[in-house]
Amino acid sequence: MLDRVGLISAHHFDGRGNVRPVGWDDLPALQDQEGFVWIHLQQNATYTKEWLTRESGLDPVVVEGLLARQSRPRCTEFVDGLVLDLRGVNLDPTCEEEMAPLHVWVEQKRLITVRLYRIKATRDIRDQLAAGHAPSSIGGLLARLTHRLIERVEPAVTAIDDDMDLLEHDM
C-alpha cells in the first residue's frame, strides 16, 4: 500500500454554515451526505496522483489538468464541473516563480484544489474555517477562495503597474 501523504486538508460542509475536518477514509462516505466537501491536495505527493486517478471518479482529462506542473489561468467547462487554473502568490522561498498555480475542480458537491507550492490564500480559508466561519454553499467557498487569491495578488500587480508607469515616464 502506498504512503497516503498528500492530503493537506479536507472539510465537510453541511450547507448550513457548519464545517468539520475529514480525512482520506471519510471521503467515500461523504458522497451520499448532504452538503459539500473541499479536498486540498499536495500535487507532488504520490498518493495524490493515486487518489485522483483511481478513487476520485474524475475523468482522466480532469486529472491531467489538476496534476499539470504549470498552466496559464483559464477555465475549462465539463458536463459535470469546471477546471479552473488560477494563480496565487508563491510562499516558497526556494522557488524562483513569483506566482504559483492552483488547480481547481468544482462540481455540485465537491471542490478539489491541488497545489505544488504553498499559497497563503488557501491557508487563509483554512484559518477562517477553523475559526468557525464557513460558507453555506460550494459557490460561496469558491468565491471566498478566488477573492483571497485576488487580494493577495493585487499588491504585486499594483507594484508592477507603478514600475511600468515610471519606465514610461522616463522614456
Side-chain angles (χ1 to χ4, degrees), residues 156-170:
V157 172
T158 300
I160 291 169
D161 192 41
D162 291 347
D163 289 346
M164 293 291 291
D165 287 346
L166 288 174
L167 285 172
E168 287 176 0
H169 183 268
D170 289 344

Side-chain angles (χ1 to χ4, degrees), residues 73-145:
R74 66 185 171 138
C75 175
T76 307
E77 187 176 353
F78 290 82
V79 172
D80 53 348
L82 297 172
V83 171
L84 301 168
D85 292 319
L86 305 173
R87 297 260 178 173
V89 176
N90 184 357
L91 296 179
D92 185 345
T94 65
C95 179
E96 294 180 13
E97 295 179 54
E98 290 182 24
M99 301 299 291
L102 180 67
H103 305 290
V104 180
W105 167 254
V106 62
E107 59 190 7
Q108 186 176 358
K109 294 182 68 169
R110 182 170 61 169
L111 184 118
I112 300 172
T113 52
V114 181
R115 59 93 158 148
L116 182 58
Y117 305 108
R118 290 182 310 135
I119 297 173
K120 183 79 168 124
T122 54
R123 177 79 247 171
D124 293 345
I125 301 300
R126 292 184 355 246
D127 289 346
Q128 290 174 5
L129 298 178
H133 304 290
S136 58
S137 71
I138 202 159
L141 176 60
L142 182 60
R144 190 178 288 187
L145 177 60

Side-chain angles (χ1 to χ4, degrees), residues 46-90:
T46 304
Y47 195 69
T48 293
K49 182 177 182 181
E50 179 75 16
W51 184 82
L52 286 170
T53 303
R54 296 210 167 100
E55 297 180 39
S56 70
L58 294 175
D59 183 288
V61 174
V62 172
V63 172
E64 183 180 323
L66 293 175
L67 294 174
R69 295 289 281 194
Q70 291 295 332
S71 65
R72 295 186 183 274
R74 66 185 171 138
C75 175
T76 307
E77 187 176 353
F78 290 82
V79 172
D80 53 348
L82 297 172
V83 171
L84 301 168
D85 292 319
L86 305 173
R87 297 260 178 173
V89 176
N90 184 357

